[in-house]
């Protein structure tokens, strides 16, 4: 077994409490923009005191057992799709023709305000290799996992992590999305709608209308994570860890307003530590493997607030058994969007109609998002 004991940072203290509907504020916009970014954060954000107070709610690193997910898959003997439906994550094989330069060509970076976002958007106009190469490669993989997917639309940017890229590793327990529909207000839900000239509020309003319509049954976000060049692999020093959602209590989730990465901030989640949480990782992941995990799930007809979650908290972590000279990990993230499907896809989506989904594929510094329609 490759299981290992690790000290995992990024949990909130168990006494962290919020009022119903409250989101804890964390503003990290000072981390981008150099001296001017720090000045704006100190003098203009209004979030300095809240951020410092809420950072004080973090607990010291917690010791957890990082279980070997390869062993778990082998012991349970389920199909890849059945394992994913049970645990919210699964490892798939996939070889890509993408090069190290391809992953960097249109990488995005933190854009905390409208001006930086517009500047970044101007760089991301041209169709990068992730659209011309990776999107076409990954399409059969997604359709194998979600056999009812039909139309798929892919965005034109990636988020590259590791040496040579503009983004650091995410070495803190987190969930990139919230639990409810309103948590999607600042998320790029559809690249196609954005290309029609709609602003974020209009995109979100249109998405809410679509979810309220009679043919919509839900919305799901997946994330695919993999090692990418220039590293040779396998990943030994900073692998990705995932937490089985069935082991996470809803009352231990911490809704957040996170600032510093997109204009206006975004709704994400932190997590309070609980000893029943079950953490997993796939030892020695190679560039020919992809770790898929579910990041957001909304289903029509499920009463709120939820009594369980179906999404996967995750974090990169320093493997204590990695040699001192272990190869540094490179990674990048990407998003894509898709249309409607034919047949029933997931048993958990039981109401009739159209279920839209974003599938994100996060490769060792690459996250890939894709919107999939599921007709139930």
């Amino acid at each position: 077994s490759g299981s290992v004991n690790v000290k995992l940072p990024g949990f909130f203290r168990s006494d962290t409490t919020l009022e119903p509907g409250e989101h804890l504020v964390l503003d990290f916009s000072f981390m981008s923009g150099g001296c001017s970014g720090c000045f704006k954060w100190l003098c203009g954000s209004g979030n300095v005191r809240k951020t410092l107070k809420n950072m004080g709610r973090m607990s010291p690193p917690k010791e957890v057992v990082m279980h070997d997910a390869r062993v778990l898959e082998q012991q349970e003997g389920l199909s890849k799709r059945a394992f994913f439906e049970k645990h919210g994550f699964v490892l798939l094989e996939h070889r890509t023709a993408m090069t190290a330069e391809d992953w960097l060509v249109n990488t995005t970076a933190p854009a905390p305000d409208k001006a930086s976002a517009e500047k970044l958007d101007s760089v991301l106009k041209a169709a990068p290799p992730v659209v011309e190469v990776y999107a076409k490669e990954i399409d059969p993989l997604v359709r194998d996992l979600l056999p009812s997917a039909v139309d798929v639309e892919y965005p034109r940017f990636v988020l590259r992590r590791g040496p040579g890229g503009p983004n650091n590793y995410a070495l803190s327990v987190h969930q990139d999305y919230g639990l409810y529909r309103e948590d999607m207000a600042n998320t790029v839900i559809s690249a196609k709608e954005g290309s029609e000239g709609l602003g974020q509020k209009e995109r979100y309003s249109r998405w809410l209308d679509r979810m309220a319509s009679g043919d919509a049954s839900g919305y799901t976000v997946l994330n695919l994570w993999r090692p990418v060049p220039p590293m040779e692999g396998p990943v030994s020093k900073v692998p990705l860890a995932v937490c089985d959602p069935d082991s996470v209590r809803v009352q231990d989730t911490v809704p957040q307003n996170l600032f510093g990465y997109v204009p206006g901030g975004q709704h994400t989640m932190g997590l309070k530590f609980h000893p029943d949480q079950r953490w997993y990782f796939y030892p020695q992941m190679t560039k020919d493997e992809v770790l898929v995990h579910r990041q957001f799930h909304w289903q029509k007809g499920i009463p709120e607030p939820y009594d369980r979650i179906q999404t996967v908290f995750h974090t990169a972590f320093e493997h204590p058994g990695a040699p001192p000279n272990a190869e540094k990990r490179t990674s990048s993230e990407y998003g894509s969007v898709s249309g409607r499907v034919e047949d029933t896809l997931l048993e958990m989506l039981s109401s009739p109609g159209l279920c839209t989904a974003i599938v994100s594929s996060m490769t060792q510094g690459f996250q890939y998002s894709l919107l999939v329609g599921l007709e139930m």
Side-chain angles (χ1 to χ4, degrees), residues 205-282:
S205 177
R206 180 179 291 191
W207 178 75
L208 286 179
D209 290 342
R210 196 164 73 235
M211 292 302 97
S213 66
D215 62 352
S217 63
Y219 192 85
T220 296
V221 177
L222 307 182
N223 182 290
L224 288 76
W225 191 97
R226 72 186 299 158
V228 299
M231 79 172 299
E232 294 296 327
V235 176
S236 59
K237 186 174 177 61
V238 190
L240 186 73
V242 291
C243 189
D244 192 322
D246 279 344
S247 70
V248 176
R249 305 184 307 174
V250 174
Q251 61 264 38
D252 290 330
T253 64
V254 181
Q256 300 174 159
N257 282 339
L258 180 65
F259 296 88
Y261 299 95
V262 299
Q266 61 196 110
H267 289 174
T268 64
M269 287 192 294
L271 184 64
K272 292 184 282 187
F273 174 78
H274 191 279
D276 289 345
Q277 292 162 2
R278 297 191 303 274
W279 285 90
Y280 295 90
F281 81 113
Y282 288 89

Side-chain angles (χ1 to χ4, degrees), residues 53-364:
K53 175 184 176 181
N54 291 330
M55 289 179 68
R57 297 182 176 186
M58 305 297 290
S59 74
K62 295 293 187 179
E63 186 163 328
V64 304
V65 177
M66 202 62 67
H67 298 283
D68 188 334
R70 295 185 188 272
V71 171
L72 181 66
E73 285 202 33
Q74 185 178 26
Q75 288 176 341
E76 295 196 346
L78 300 173
S79 69
K80 292 294 185 179
R81 185 185 176 198
F83 186 91
F84 173 76
E85 290 180 0
K86 179 179 179 181
H87 295 285
F89 63 86
V90 72
L91 189 71
L92 304 176
E93 294 183 1
H94 176 257
R95 180 172 295 181
T96 177
M98 293 283 288
T99 67
E101 183 179 357
D102 289 339
W103 293 113
L104 275 170
V105 109
N106 262 31
T107 185
T108 186
D113 53 43
K114 185 176 180 180
S116 57
E118 289 176 349
K119 182 178 179 181
L120 183 63
D121 188 63
S122 67
V123 177
L124 302 176
K125 292 292 186 183
V130 289
V131 172
E132 297 300 322
V133 178
Y134 195 67
K136 295 176 181 178
E137 290 179 346
I138 207 74
D139 188 67
L141 184 78
V142 173
R143 294 177 191 279
D144 284 344
L145 188 63
L146 308 177
S148 298
V150 177
D151 301 323
V152 181
E153 175 198 338
Y154 299 91
R156 45 184 165 64
F157 59 88
V158 302
L159 192 158
R160 166 74 152 70
R161 297 188 188 274
N167 303 283
N168 297 321
Y169 305 136
L171 291 163
S172 183
V173 174
H174 68 284
Q175 170 52 289
D176 298 288
Y177 298 81
L179 284 179
Y180 304 108
R181 283 179 298 173
E182 55 267 29
D183 292 323
M184 302 297 284
N186 272 18
T187 299
V188 179
I189 298 168
S190 170
K192 182 176 182 180
E193 290 172 359
S195 68
E196 295 171 353
L198 296 178
Q200 179 57 35
K201 288 185 178 180
E202 290 79 8
R203 285 200 301 269
Y204 176 62
S205 177
R206 180 179 291 191
W207 178 75
L208 286 179
D209 290 342
R210 196 164 73 235
M211 292 302 97
S213 66
D215 62 352
S217 63
Y219 192 85
T220 296
V221 177
L222 307 182
N223 182 290
L224 288 76
W225 191 97
R226 72 186 299 158
V228 299
M231 79 172 299
E232 294 296 327
V235 176
S236 59
K237 186 174 177 61
V238 190
L240 186 73
V242 291
C243 189
D244 192 322
D246 279 344
S247 70
V248 176
R249 305 184 307 174
V250 174
Q251 61 264 38
D252 290 330
T253 64
V254 181
Q256 300 174 159
N257 282 339
L258 180 65
F259 296 88
Y261 299 95
V262 299
Q266 61 196 110
H267 289 174
T268 64
M269 287 192 294
L271 184 64
K272 292 184 282 187
F273 174 78
H274 191 279
D276 289 345
Q277 292 162 2
R278 297 191 303 274
W279 285 90
Y280 295 90
F281 81 113
Y282 288 89
Q284 302 293 300
M285 270 191 67
T286 74
K287 292 180 292 185
D288 295 334
E289 294 177 313
V290 182
L291 169 53
V292 184
H293 62 278
R294 188 185 299 114
Q295 287 202 307
F296 178 81
H297 183 77
W298 172 78
Q299 181 180 345
K300 185 178 291 185
I302 301 298
E304 301 178 5
Y306 299 150
D307 59 7
R308 63 184 294 264
I309 72 168
Q310 299 187 47
T311 53
V312 177
F313 280 86
H314 53 283
T315 179
F317 72 98
E318 297 278 357
H319 196 299
N325 61 345
E327 183 181 19
K328 292 183 178 180
R329 197 195 82 192
T330 49
S331 62
S332 111
E333 305 175 20
Y334 175 59
S336 81
V337 193
S338 114
R340 72 173 196 78
V341 303
E342 302 289 344
D343 307 322
T344 300
L345 180 59
L346 301 178
E347 293 179 3
M348 60 186 174
L349 299 174
S350 57
S351 57
L354 177 71
C355 167
T356 50
I358 283 188
V359 179
S360 320
S361 104
M362 182 174 185
T363 65
Q364 189 213 11

